[in-house]
Amino acid sequence: SLKFKLGKAFFIDLENGEVNMDASWFEKKGFSKEQILWAHLHEIMHFLDYRDDTEGMKENFSHINDLARKTGDELLAKWEKVLDKNNAEDASFLEKMKTQKPLDQKNPKRGSMNSLQKSSYSIHHMFYNVMDDIWVNRMVERKAQAYSADFGGSEVTRLYKEKLFPQTDYSKEPLHRQFSYALLRKEMVPDEELTLSPEVSEVLKRKLKYMGGEYTPSEIVDTFIKPAFARDTMASERYFTIQSALEPIFLDFIKKDIDAWEPKKPEESKGGQGGDKESEEKNGDKKDDDGNGAPENPFDMKDEENPNMPDFTYDEMDNANKKEKAEKEKKAKEDDKKPKDKAQEAEDELDRKWAEKEAGGDESKARELHRAIKEYKKLAESIYPYLEELSLLWRNIVFGRSRGVKVEMS
């Protein structure tokens, strides 16, 4: 089942069934009530999609991992061309990039990746997230008529146009991102033209041969990916179409982006101890999980450039930090408690709050009241075994015979 919690982004952790709700949507960014409700329905639909075809979606996450490994290897090959293997610092830097680390310390079967492969995951995950969002948005529209084009769909269009993807010029973005965003934004804001690089514009107009017909990329989305009457296209069916028809275009754009990318070694700081902060940020040289300098995805967006689009994640690569680990251990202990113990704790917490309220802010009096309540309940519990016997006695006195009565405590 689903759980909801406030966080810093709107996404669903499918592995744990947690919808993270971005508090800033409610407080700062001026989203309407209808848009906030729609965002929740969007994440719930991701969950239903995962529930209805769990294996199909898990297989696709494995596919994304395989793609990330290949892209990471291509990025590594570019780095090897600019680094001097005979230079000790370059050799050390290269070795850190090549070091394989397990995706999950507790589950070695999930495999391992080096830092470049890990960072490449976001490239491919973004593409599939866009494809899933197109399907999810149309399913929400079908299941919640308030968001259909004839009713409240204008709020969703306004959300994408004004908040999530306010810009119309994507020509400076990497080619693979232009392709993905163009498909999504054209679907959600169909009446507004986008500025794209000529190469991407040409591909979006080109007819592709697929399933005995010829379709543009957008027509493939309309015909084979979006849900329609009597065709809800489960995840595995959509992924087959994406991998067969659209992903080859996306991969070709990635290859061209990597070919055009020129990696630069981090500049040495004045002290000669490695890259300074400014050059690290410029070249994407950040600290990995173990604190070692390693370049990240060169096509990562800066936070201010990243559209705040609803997202879903399947965290296969980043191990939980200490805080998350502690919370999970605490939750596990809570789950191990018997229902009776949980009920007792909840009741005791209510008694404590009542005592604080009655004490009017006097902590000493509140503690005294709380102790008195606990003592009273302890005494009441001690005489409970005798109540049935006493009731039977009084029934015999009053009626002269016993009547079966079930005694329950609530």
Side-chain angles (χ1 to χ4, degrees), residues 137-153:
N137 291 348
R138 291 309 167 211
M139 282 300 293
V140 170
E141 179 182 314
R142 291 181 65 194
K143 290 179 176 290
Q145 291 297 310
Y147 290 104
S148 66
D150 296 331
F151 293 96

Side-chain angles (χ1 to χ4, degrees), residues 204-208 214-221 246:
L204 288 170
K205 295 175 183 176
R206 185 192 306 164
K207 294 279 187 177
L208 309 172
E214 293 188 349
Y215 309 89
T216 65
S218 292
E219 288 171 345
I220 286 177
V221 170
L246 299 178

